mmCIF file of all heavy atoms in Angstrom:
data_model
loop_
_atom_site.group_PDB
_atom_site.id
_atom_site.type_symbol
_atom_site.label_atom_id
_atom_site.label_comp_id
_atom_site.label_asym_id
_atom_site.label_seq_id
_atom_site.Cartn_x
_atom_site.Cartn_y
_atom_site.Cartn_z
ATOM 1 N N ASP A 19 -50.835 -40.223 -10.543
ATOM 2 C CA ASP A 19 -51.218 -39.652 -11.837
ATOM 3 C C ASP A 19 -50.672 -38.254 -12.059
ATOM 4 O O ASP A 19 -50.880 -37.665 -13.122
ATOM 5 C CB ASP A 19 -52.747 -39.622 -11.960
ATOM 6 C CG ASP A 19 -53.353 -41.011 -11.899
ATOM 7 O OD1 ASP A 19 -52.729 -41.931 -12.463
ATOM 8 O OD2 ASP A 19 -54.414 -41.178 -11.292
ATOM 9 N N SER A 20 -49.981 -37.706 -11.062
ATOM 10 C CA SER A 20 -49.435 -36.363 -11.219
ATOM 11 C C SER A 20 -48.348 -36.347 -12.284
ATOM 12 O O SER A 20 -47.582 -37.307 -12.425
ATOM 13 C CB SER A 20 -48.851 -35.875 -9.890
ATOM 14 O OG SER A 20 -48.171 -34.645 -10.067
ATOM 15 N N ARG A 21 -48.290 -35.259 -13.018
ATOM 16 C CA ARG A 21 -47.226 -35.092 -14.017
ATOM 17 C C ARG A 21 -46.101 -34.222 -13.469
ATOM 18 O O ARG A 21 -45.116 -33.969 -14.163
ATOM 19 C CB ARG A 21 -47.784 -34.462 -15.288
ATOM 20 C CG ARG A 21 -48.831 -35.306 -16.010
ATOM 21 C CD ARG A 21 -48.281 -36.662 -16.419
ATOM 22 N NE ARG A 21 -48.569 -37.691 -15.389
ATOM 23 C CZ ARG A 21 -47.999 -38.886 -15.348
ATOM 24 N NH1 ARG A 21 -47.070 -39.208 -16.229
ATOM 25 N NH2 ARG A 21 -48.317 -39.748 -14.408
ATOM 26 N N ALA A 22 -46.229 -33.785 -12.246
ATOM 27 C CA ALA A 22 -45.176 -32.967 -11.643
ATOM 28 C C ALA A 22 -43.986 -33.851 -11.291
ATOM 29 O O ALA A 22 -44.143 -35.042 -10.997
ATOM 30 C CB ALA A 22 -45.696 -32.282 -10.385
ATOM 31 N N PRO A 23 -42.792 -33.306 -11.306
ATOM 32 C CA PRO A 23 -41.643 -34.104 -10.869
ATOM 33 C C PRO A 23 -41.718 -34.394 -9.380
ATOM 34 O O PRO A 23 -42.363 -33.685 -8.621
ATOM 35 C CB PRO A 23 -40.445 -33.213 -11.212
ATOM 36 C CG PRO A 23 -40.991 -31.824 -11.240
ATOM 37 C CD PRO A 23 -42.408 -31.935 -11.707
ATOM 38 N N LEU A 24 -41.037 -35.454 -8.976
ATOM 39 C CA LEU A 24 -40.909 -35.832 -7.575
ATOM 40 C C LEU A 24 -39.458 -35.579 -7.190
ATOM 41 O O LEU A 24 -38.537 -36.062 -7.847
ATOM 42 C CB LEU A 24 -41.265 -37.308 -7.393
ATOM 43 C CG LEU A 24 -41.074 -37.918 -6.008
ATOM 44 C CD1 LEU A 24 -41.979 -37.240 -4.996
ATOM 45 C CD2 LEU A 24 -41.353 -39.418 -6.054
ATOM 46 N N ALA A 25 -39.231 -34.799 -6.140
ATOM 47 C CA ALA A 25 -37.874 -34.458 -5.723
ATOM 48 C C ALA A 25 -37.418 -35.378 -4.599
ATOM 49 O O ALA A 25 -38.221 -35.823 -3.777
ATOM 50 C CB ALA A 25 -37.803 -33.005 -5.268
ATOM 51 N N VAL A 26 -36.120 -35.672 -4.559
ATOM 52 C CA VAL A 26 -35.542 -36.464 -3.483
ATOM 53 C C VAL A 26 -34.214 -35.826 -3.089
ATOM 54 O O VAL A 26 -33.427 -35.413 -3.940
ATOM 55 C CB VAL A 26 -35.353 -37.944 -3.890
ATOM 56 C CG1 VAL A 26 -34.475 -38.079 -5.120
ATOM 57 C CG2 VAL A 26 -34.791 -38.767 -2.737
ATOM 58 N N ALA A 27 -33.997 -35.708 -1.784
ATOM 59 C CA ALA A 27 -32.753 -35.125 -1.270
ATOM 60 C C ALA A 27 -31.731 -36.246 -1.101
ATOM 61 O O ALA A 27 -31.966 -37.191 -0.345
ATOM 62 C CB ALA A 27 -33.009 -34.424 0.056
ATOM 63 N N LEU A 28 -30.601 -36.128 -1.785
ATOM 64 C CA LEU A 28 -29.558 -37.154 -1.747
ATOM 65 C C LEU A 28 -28.266 -36.544 -1.221
ATOM 66 O O LEU A 28 -27.703 -35.631 -1.839
ATOM 67 C CB LEU A 28 -29.334 -37.732 -3.148
ATOM 68 C CG LEU A 28 -28.171 -38.718 -3.300
ATOM 69 C CD1 LEU A 28 -28.397 -39.965 -2.451
ATOM 70 C CD2 LEU A 28 -27.975 -39.095 -4.771
ATOM 71 N N SER A 29 -27.800 -37.051 -0.093
ATOM 72 C CA SER A 29 -26.506 -36.619 0.446
ATOM 73 C C SER A 29 -25.389 -37.556 0.033
ATOM 74 O O SER A 29 -24.209 -37.210 0.119
ATOM 75 C CB SER A 29 -26.571 -36.552 1.969
ATOM 76 O OG SER A 29 -26.693 -37.868 2.513
ATOM 77 N N GLY A 30 -25.747 -38.773 -0.377
ATOM 78 C CA GLY A 30 -24.770 -39.800 -0.695
ATOM 79 C C GLY A 30 -24.567 -40.773 0.444
ATOM 80 O O GLY A 30 -23.893 -41.798 0.275
ATOM 81 N N GLY A 31 -25.145 -40.471 1.635
ATOM 82 C CA GLY A 31 -25.099 -41.407 2.749
ATOM 83 C C GLY A 31 -26.012 -42.596 2.493
ATOM 84 O O GLY A 31 -26.803 -42.607 1.540
ATOM 85 N N SER A 32 -25.916 -43.585 3.360
ATOM 86 C CA SER A 32 -26.658 -44.832 3.118
ATOM 87 C C SER A 32 -28.161 -44.623 3.086
ATOM 88 O O SER A 32 -28.854 -45.174 2.215
ATOM 89 C CB SER A 32 -26.297 -45.858 4.192
ATOM 90 O OG SER A 32 -26.580 -45.356 5.491
ATOM 91 N N ASP A 33 -28.693 -43.812 4.013
ATOM 92 C CA ASP A 33 -30.144 -43.661 4.107
ATOM 93 C C ASP A 33 -30.710 -43.002 2.854
ATOM 94 O O ASP A 33 -31.674 -43.487 2.254
ATOM 95 C CB ASP A 33 -30.513 -42.834 5.344
ATOM 96 C CG ASP A 33 -29.922 -43.407 6.622
ATOM 97 O OD1 ASP A 33 -29.502 -44.579 6.612
ATOM 98 O OD2 ASP A 33 -29.876 -42.682 7.619
ATOM 99 N N SER A 34 -30.117 -41.880 2.454
ATOM 100 C CA SER A 34 -30.651 -41.158 1.292
ATOM 101 C C SER A 34 -30.384 -41.902 -0.005
ATOM 102 O O SER A 34 -31.166 -41.814 -0.944
ATOM 103 C CB SER A 34 -30.070 -39.743 1.235
ATOM 104 O OG SER A 34 -28.685 -39.753 1.009
ATOM 105 N N LEU A 35 -29.292 -42.659 -0.076
ATOM 106 C CA LEU A 35 -29.018 -43.426 -1.293
ATOM 107 C C LEU A 35 -30.040 -44.547 -1.463
ATOM 108 O O LEU A 35 -30.571 -44.765 -2.556
ATOM 109 C CB LEU A 35 -27.598 -43.994 -1.254
ATOM 110 C CG LEU A 35 -27.205 -44.875 -2.450
ATOM 111 C CD1 LEU A 35 -27.366 -44.123 -3.759
ATOM 112 C CD2 LEU A 35 -25.783 -45.393 -2.283
ATOM 113 N N ALA A 36 -30.332 -45.261 -0.363
ATOM 114 C CA ALA A 36 -31.351 -46.310 -0.443
ATOM 115 C C ALA A 36 -32.689 -45.722 -0.857
ATOM 116 O O ALA A 36 -33.399 -46.277 -1.720
ATOM 117 C CB ALA A 36 -31.468 -47.020 0.904
ATOM 118 N N LEU A 37 -33.057 -44.589 -0.266
ATOM 119 C CA LEU A 37 -34.318 -43.949 -0.622
ATOM 120 C C LEU A 37 -34.336 -43.545 -2.088
ATOM 121 O O LEU A 37 -35.337 -43.756 -2.798
ATOM 122 C CB LEU A 37 -34.541 -42.722 0.262
ATOM 123 C CG LEU A 37 -35.766 -41.873 -0.082
ATOM 124 C CD1 LEU A 37 -37.044 -42.690 0.028
ATOM 125 C CD2 LEU A 37 -35.835 -40.632 0.807
ATOM 126 N N THR A 38 -33.256 -42.958 -2.583
ATOM 127 C CA THR A 38 -33.219 -42.515 -3.973
ATOM 128 C C THR A 38 -33.381 -43.684 -4.929
ATOM 129 O O THR A 38 -34.102 -43.588 -5.936
ATOM 130 C CB THR A 38 -31.898 -41.776 -4.256
ATOM 131 O OG1 THR A 38 -31.808 -40.647 -3.381
ATOM 132 C CG2 THR A 38 -31.835 -41.281 -5.690
ATOM 133 N N MET A 39 -32.742 -44.795 -4.645
ATOM 134 C CA MET A 39 -32.871 -45.968 -5.509
ATOM 135 C C MET A 39 -34.297 -46.506 -5.504
ATOM 136 O O MET A 39 -34.857 -46.845 -6.560
ATOM 137 C CB MET A 39 -31.886 -47.045 -5.054
ATOM 138 C CG MET A 39 -30.420 -46.660 -5.270
ATOM 139 S SD MET A 39 -29.265 -47.871 -4.574
ATOM 140 C CE MET A 39 -29.669 -49.310 -5.590
ATOM 141 N N MET A 40 -34.910 -46.565 -4.328
ATOM 142 C CA MET A 40 -36.293 -47.057 -4.256
ATOM 143 C C MET A 40 -37.251 -46.073 -4.901
ATOM 144 O O MET A 40 -38.226 -46.473 -5.559
ATOM 145 C CB MET A 40 -36.664 -47.301 -2.798
ATOM 146 C CG MET A 40 -35.867 -48.409 -2.136
ATOM 147 S SD MET A 40 -36.351 -48.621 -0.402
ATOM 148 C CE MET A 40 -34.959 -49.571 0.221
ATOM 149 N N ALA A 41 -36.989 -44.780 -4.723
ATOM 150 C CA ALA A 41 -37.849 -43.767 -5.339
ATOM 151 C C ALA A 41 -37.744 -43.813 -6.858
ATOM 152 O O ALA A 41 -38.740 -43.604 -7.569
ATOM 153 C CB ALA A 41 -37.466 -42.378 -4.832
ATOM 154 N N ALA A 42 -36.552 -44.084 -7.379
ATOM 155 C CA ALA A 42 -36.375 -44.167 -8.827
ATOM 156 C C ALA A 42 -37.207 -45.310 -9.397
ATOM 157 O O ALA A 42 -37.825 -45.174 -10.472
ATOM 158 C CB ALA A 42 -34.902 -44.353 -9.163
ATOM 159 N N ALA A 43 -37.237 -46.435 -8.693
ATOM 160 C CA ALA A 43 -38.038 -47.565 -9.157
ATOM 161 C C ALA A 43 -39.525 -47.228 -9.119
ATOM 162 O O ALA A 43 -40.289 -47.562 -10.038
ATOM 163 C CB ALA A 43 -37.738 -48.793 -8.300
ATOM 164 N N TRP A 44 -39.955 -46.544 -8.030
ATOM 165 C CA TRP A 44 -41.366 -46.143 -7.932
ATOM 166 C C TRP A 44 -41.720 -45.152 -9.039
ATOM 167 O O TRP A 44 -42.771 -45.275 -9.690
ATOM 168 C CB TRP A 44 -41.631 -45.514 -6.565
ATOM 169 C CG TRP A 44 -43.073 -45.201 -6.289
ATOM 170 C CD1 TRP A 44 -43.990 -45.992 -5.678
ATOM 171 C CD2 TRP A 44 -43.769 -43.995 -6.653
ATOM 172 N NE1 TRP A 44 -45.210 -45.357 -5.617
ATOM 173 C CE2 TRP A 44 -45.106 -44.139 -6.209
ATOM 174 C CE3 TRP A 44 -43.394 -42.824 -7.290
ATOM 175 C CZ2 TRP A 44 -46.059 -43.143 -6.394
ATOM 176 C CZ3 TRP A 44 -44.351 -41.828 -7.485
ATOM 177 C CH2 TRP A 44 -45.657 -41.990 -7.038
ATOM 178 N N ALA A 45 -40.858 -44.171 -9.267
ATOM 179 C CA ALA A 45 -41.130 -43.160 -10.282
ATOM 180 C C ALA A 45 -41.192 -43.776 -11.670
ATOM 181 O O ALA A 45 -42.044 -43.408 -12.503
ATOM 182 C CB ALA A 45 -40.043 -42.083 -10.234
ATOM 183 N N GLU A 46 -40.316 -44.723 -11.947
ATOM 184 C CA GLU A 46 -40.341 -45.380 -13.262
ATOM 185 C C GLU A 46 -41.645 -46.141 -13.465
ATOM 186 O O GLU A 46 -42.251 -46.099 -14.534
ATOM 187 C CB GLU A 46 -39.148 -46.322 -13.383
ATOM 188 C CG GLU A 46 -39.062 -47.016 -14.735
ATOM 189 C CD GLU A 46 -37.858 -47.924 -14.844
ATOM 190 O OE1 GLU A 46 -37.252 -48.259 -13.804
ATOM 191 O OE2 GLU A 46 -37.517 -48.315 -15.982
ATOM 192 N N ARG A 47 -42.092 -46.813 -12.400
ATOM 193 C CA ARG A 47 -43.336 -47.593 -12.512
ATOM 194 C C ARG A 47 -44.540 -46.698 -12.779
ATOM 195 O O ARG A 47 -45.476 -47.087 -13.483
ATOM 196 C CB ARG A 47 -43.549 -48.374 -11.203
ATOM 197 C CG ARG A 47 -44.763 -49.306 -11.240
ATOM 198 C CD ARG A 47 -44.749 -50.245 -10.059
ATOM 199 N NE ARG A 47 -44.569 -49.518 -8.810
ATOM 200 C CZ ARG A 47 -45.352 -49.703 -7.746
ATOM 201 N NH1 ARG A 47 -46.352 -50.545 -7.787
ATOM 202 N NH2 ARG A 47 -45.125 -49.039 -6.646
ATOM 203 N N HIS A 48 -44.513 -45.474 -12.227
ATOM 204 C CA HIS A 48 -45.659 -44.566 -12.390
ATOM 205 C C HIS A 48 -45.398 -43.472 -13.433
ATOM 206 O O HIS A 48 -46.194 -42.530 -13.534
ATOM 207 C CB HIS A 48 -45.978 -43.919 -11.036
ATOM 208 C CG HIS A 48 -46.498 -44.896 -10.026
ATOM 209 N ND1 HIS A 48 -47.767 -45.415 -10.083
ATOM 210 C CD2 HIS A 48 -45.903 -45.464 -8.932
ATOM 211 C CE1 HIS A 48 -47.956 -46.243 -9.058
ATOM 212 N NE2 HIS A 48 -46.839 -46.293 -8.355
ATOM 213 N N HIS A 49 -44.333 -43.606 -14.182
ATOM 214 C CA HIS A 49 -44.005 -42.638 -15.246
ATOM 215 C C HIS A 49 -43.899 -41.211 -14.697
ATOM 216 O O HIS A 49 -44.367 -40.261 -15.314
ATOM 217 C CB HIS A 49 -45.044 -42.704 -16.382
ATOM 218 C CG HIS A 49 -45.254 -44.089 -16.913
ATOM 219 N ND1 HIS A 49 -44.310 -44.739 -17.679
ATOM 220 C CD2 HIS A 49 -46.287 -44.964 -16.755
ATOM 221 C CE1 HIS A 49 -44.762 -45.953 -17.983
ATOM 222 N NE2 HIS A 49 -45.965 -46.118 -17.441
ATOM 223 N N ARG A 50 -43.284 -41.112 -13.522
ATOM 224 C CA ARG A 50 -43.036 -39.812 -12.911
ATOM 225 C C ARG A 50 -41.572 -39.433 -13.112
ATOM 226 O O ARG A 50 -40.676 -40.280 -13.081
ATOM 227 C CB ARG A 50 -43.326 -39.854 -11.400
ATOM 228 C CG ARG A 50 -44.784 -40.051 -11.013
ATOM 229 C CD ARG A 50 -45.594 -38.772 -11.150
ATOM 230 N NE ARG A 50 -45.100 -37.696 -10.314
ATOM 231 C CZ ARG A 50 -45.522 -37.449 -9.068
ATOM 232 N NH1 ARG A 50 -46.437 -38.222 -8.516
ATOM 233 N NH2 ARG A 50 -45.054 -36.406 -8.396
ATOM 234 N N ARG A 51 -41.319 -38.166 -13.284
ATOM 235 C CA ARG A 51 -39.946 -37.674 -13.355
ATOM 236 C C ARG A 51 -39.377 -37.561 -11.945
ATOM 237 O O ARG A 51 -40.059 -37.112 -11.033
ATOM 238 C CB ARG A 51 -39.901 -36.304 -14.040
ATOM 239 C CG ARG A 51 -40.225 -36.328 -15.527
ATOM 240 C CD ARG A 51 -40.274 -34.921 -16.096
ATOM 241 N NE ARG A 51 -41.437 -34.187 -15.595
ATOM 242 C CZ ARG A 51 -41.449 -32.887 -15.341
ATOM 243 N NH1 ARG A 51 -40.344 -32.167 -15.496
ATOM 244 N NH2 ARG A 51 -42.542 -32.284 -14.918
ATOM 245 N N LEU A 52 -38.127 -37.954 -11.784
ATOM 246 C CA LEU A 52 -37.460 -37.866 -10.490
ATOM 247 C C LEU A 52 -36.358 -36.823 -10.580
ATOM 248 O O LEU A 52 -35.535 -36.847 -11.496
ATOM 249 C CB LEU A 52 -36.860 -39.216 -10.090
ATOM 250 C CG LEU A 52 -36.267 -39.288 -8.676
ATOM 251 C CD1 LEU A 52 -37.375 -39.175 -7.630
ATOM 252 C CD2 LEU A 52 -35.483 -40.581 -8.476
ATOM 253 N N LEU A 53 -36.356 -35.893 -9.630
ATOM 254 C CA LEU A 53 -35.338 -34.844 -9.551
ATOM 255 C C LEU A 53 -34.513 -35.073 -8.293
ATOM 256 O O LEU A 53 -35.037 -35.000 -7.176
ATOM 257 C CB LEU A 53 -35.996 -33.465 -9.516
ATOM 258 C CG LEU A 53 -35.074 -32.277 -9.233
ATOM 259 C CD1 LEU A 53 -34.014 -32.142 -10.325
ATOM 260 C CD2 LEU A 53 -35.882 -30.992 -9.094
ATOM 261 N N VAL A 54 -33.230 -35.358 -8.467
ATOM 262 C CA VAL A 54 -32.327 -35.585 -7.347
ATOM 263 C C VAL A 54 -31.659 -34.259 -6.985
ATOM 264 O O VAL A 54 -31.049 -33.611 -7.840
ATOM 265 C CB VAL A 54 -31.268 -36.645 -7.702
ATOM 266 C CG1 VAL A 54 -30.274 -36.799 -6.554
ATOM 267 C CG2 VAL A 54 -31.939 -37.984 -8.010
ATOM 268 N N LEU A 55 -31.778 -33.870 -5.719
ATOM 269 C CA LEU A 55 -31.221 -32.606 -5.236
ATOM 270 C C LEU A 55 -30.144 -32.900 -4.191
ATOM 271 O O LEU A 55 -30.399 -33.618 -3.220
ATOM 272 C CB LEU A 55 -32.319 -31.745 -4.603
ATOM 273 C CG LEU A 55 -33.490 -31.365 -5.512
ATOM 274 C CD1 LEU A 55 -34.574 -30.659 -4.704
ATOM 275 C CD2 LEU A 55 -33.020 -30.489 -6.661
ATOM 276 N N THR A 56 -28.967 -32.351 -4.391
ATOM 277 C CA THR A 56 -27.864 -32.527 -3.449
ATOM 278 C C THR A 56 -27.369 -31.171 -2.995
ATOM 279 O O THR A 56 -27.105 -30.292 -3.824
ATOM 280 C CB THR A 56 -26.710 -33.311 -4.100
ATOM 281 O OG1 THR A 56 -27.162 -34.642 -4.391
ATOM 282 C CG2 THR A 56 -25.502 -33.375 -3.176
ATOM 283 N N VAL A 57 -27.255 -30.994 -1.692
ATOM 284 C CA VAL A 57 -26.792 -29.734 -1.112
ATOM 285 C C VAL A 57 -25.327 -29.878 -0.716
ATOM 286 O O VAL A 57 -24.966 -30.773 0.065
ATOM 287 C CB VAL A 57 -27.627 -29.331 0.116
ATOM 288 C CG1 VAL A 57 -27.073 -28.051 0.745
ATOM 289 C CG2 VAL A 57 -29.090 -29.139 -0.280
ATOM 290 N N ASP A 58 -24.507 -29.002 -1.256
ATOM 291 C CA ASP A 58 -23.107 -28.901 -0.849
ATOM 292 C C ASP A 58 -23.014 -27.765 0.168
ATOM 293 O O ASP A 58 -23.140 -26.599 -0.181
ATOM 294 C CB ASP A 58 -22.223 -28.618 -2.064
ATOM 295 C CG ASP A 58 -20.738 -28.538 -1.714
ATOM 296 O OD1 ASP A 58 -20.413 -28.521 -0.520
ATOM 297 O OD2 ASP A 58 -19.917 -28.477 -2.646
ATOM 298 N N HIS A 59 -22.786 -28.120 1.436
ATOM 299 C CA HIS A 59 -22.735 -27.112 2.492
ATOM 300 C C HIS A 59 -21.423 -26.347 2.504
ATOM 301 O O HIS A 59 -21.308 -25.331 3.198
ATOM 302 C CB HIS A 59 -22.963 -27.769 3.858
ATOM 303 C CG HIS A 59 -24.317 -28.390 4.014
ATOM 304 N ND1 HIS A 59 -24.592 -29.674 3.640
ATOM 305 C CD2 HIS A 59 -25.473 -27.878 4.488
ATOM 306 C CE1 HIS A 59 -25.852 -29.946 3.891
ATOM 307 N NE2 HIS A 59 -26.420 -28.872 4.411
ATOM 308 N N GLY A 60 -20.431 -26.829 1.768
ATOM 309 C CA GLY A 60 -19.146 -26.144 1.738
ATOM 310 C C GLY A 60 -18.416 -26.176 3.057
ATOM 311 O O GLY A 60 -17.606 -25.297 3.345
ATOM 312 N N LEU A 61 -18.660 -27.202 3.865
ATOM 313 C CA LEU A 61 -18.063 -27.283 5.194
ATOM 314 C C LEU A 61 -16.846 -28.198 5.242
ATOM 315 O O LEU A 61 -16.088 -28.165 6.210
ATOM 316 C CB LEU A 61 -19.105 -27.766 6.210
ATOM 317 C CG LEU A 61 -20.319 -26.867 6.395
ATOM 318 C CD1 LEU A 61 -21.330 -27.518 7.326
ATOM 319 C CD2 LEU A 61 -19.900 -25.496 6.929
ATOM 320 N N ARG A 62 -16.668 -29.043 4.221
ATOM 321 C CA ARG A 62 -15.553 -29.984 4.212
ATOM 322 C C ARG A 62 -14.899 -29.993 2.830
ATOM 323 O O ARG A 62 -15.585 -29.794 1.817
ATOM 324 C CB ARG A 62 -16.027 -31.402 4.557
ATOM 325 C CG ARG A 62 -16.667 -31.525 5.947
ATOM 326 C CD ARG A 62 -16.840 -32.978 6.305
ATOM 327 N NE ARG A 62 -15.550 -33.658 6.397
ATOM 328 C CZ ARG A 62 -14.801 -33.702 7.498
ATOM 329 N NH1 ARG A 62 -15.209 -33.112 8.608
ATOM 330 N NH2 ARG A 62 -13.653 -34.344 7.495
#
Side-chain angles (χ1 to χ4, degrees):
D19 298 322
S20 173
R21 297 301 94 194
L24 175 63
V26 58
L28 174 63
S29 68
S32 58
D33 305 344
S34 65
L35 177 57
L37 175 60
T38 300
M39 293 174 64
M40 295 179 197
W44 186 92
E46 182 179 16
R47 184 168 51 131
H48 293 286
H49 307 288
R50 293 282 300 269
R51 291 175 290 145
L52 187 68
L53 172 62
V54 176
L55 301 173
T56 295
V57 177
D58 182 350
H59 296 88
L61 298 175
R62 299 191 63 87

